[in-house]
Amino acid sequence: MTHLLVKTIIVITGGSLQGMGMGLFLFPHFIPSGGAGGIAVLLTYWFHLNTGLALWLVNASMLLLAVKYLGKRVAVWTVIGITMTSVSILFFEQTFIIANRNLLLDFFCGSLLLGTGIGLLMRQGVSNGGVGVIALIVSNKRSISPGQPLFWINCCVFIFTAAIIDWKIILLALGSQWISTRMVNLICQLDFYQSYTISWRRK
């Protein structure tokens, strides 16, 4: 019961931090947070959807892969994570209106929060949704940190997004991905010895 409670709190926290980084700092500048975020930005750009809803739709489409390769339990936790992320995006987009934004400040704050949130999720063996499902599958198969495949998959999506919207986006997106990936790797590799150990475990 304690294990379940702690994992639930960590997944909710990770999803919320990820959504905060996206909704409050990155998405207002159309900076893709990752592969799923890039596709969500495109859907928002093309169809004027709410980014929280667009991201949830993209993430939900990846659940079949999660069920097949990672198991139903991981899929359930992924649903919880992506739902918290989408709710968090909606909350921060609609609640906090920042008049005078600073691109560099938003860039760094959003990237750090994004990486921290994803790292907390993947540390629990929970995908952050979208291409994070593919990254976690590769990570489990090859016994490597999920940050590496996540980076390269996202780069491909960034190039496509930049070609559609604006090429300067790719520089911001790659920089954000580099920072967030470092945070993911850092959190996944840290060891915490407490009454409950949340050290990285590959399923």
Side-chain angles (χ1 to χ4, degrees), residues 110-153:
S111 300
L112 290 173
L113 286 169
L114 174 67
T116 301
I118 294 175
L120 289 174
L121 291 173
M122 290 193 164
R123 203 180 161 84
Q124 295 298 309
V126 177
S127 167
N128 66 313
V131 298
V133 172
I134 301 175
L136 201 57
I137 292 171
V138 174
S139 171
N140 289 344
K141 296 290 185 181
R142 299 198 174 188
S143 296
I144 59 176
S145 173
Q148 296 177 28
L150 189 64
F151 178 81
W152 292 111
I153 295 169

Side-chain angles (χ1 to χ4, degrees), residues 3 7 70 74 123-126 140 200-203:
H3 173 89
K7 182 167 184 173
L70 300 175
V74 172
R123 203 180 161 84
Q124 295 298 309
V126 177
N140 289 344
W200 168 249
R201 299 173 185 174
R202 296 184 178 87
K203 302 297 181 182

Side-chain angles (χ1 to χ4, degrees), residues 120-198:
L120 289 174
L121 291 173
M122 290 193 164
R123 203 180 161 84
Q124 295 298 309
V126 177
S127 167
N128 66 313
V131 298
V133 172
I134 301 175
L136 201 57
I137 292 171
V138 174
S139 171
N140 289 344
K141 296 290 185 181
R142 299 198 174 188
S143 296
I144 59 176
S145 173
Q148 296 177 28
L150 189 64
F151 178 81
W152 292 111
I153 295 169
N154 287 338
C155 284
C156 296
V157 177
F158 293 158
I159 292 173
F160 181 70
T161 304
I164 297 298
I165 300 178
D166 191 335
W167 278 105
K168 71 178 181 181
I169 287 178
I170 194 171
L171 298 178
L172 294 171
L174 289 175
S176 177
Q177 190 63 202
W178 187 86
I179 294 173
S180 62
T181 298
R182 292 299 175 274
M183 289 299 298
V184 170
N185 289 336
L186 176 63
I187 292 174
C188 286
Q189 292 167 4
L190 286 176
D191 289 322
F192 297 97
Y193 295 102
Q194 301 175 347
S195 57
Y196 172 74
T197 302
I198 58 172

Side-chain angles (χ1 to χ4, degrees), residues 21-22 25-34 37-38 41 103 106-108 111 114 158 161 168-169 171-177:
M22 295 178 182
F25 296 109
L26 297 178
F27 283 175
H29 299 284
F30 288 101
I31 301 175
S33 58
V41 166
L103 175 59
D106 286 355
F107 168 79
F108 283 111
S111 300
L114 174 67
F158 293 158
T161 304
K168 71 178 181 181
I169 287 178
L171 298 178
L172 294 171
L174 289 175
S176 177
Q177 190 63 202

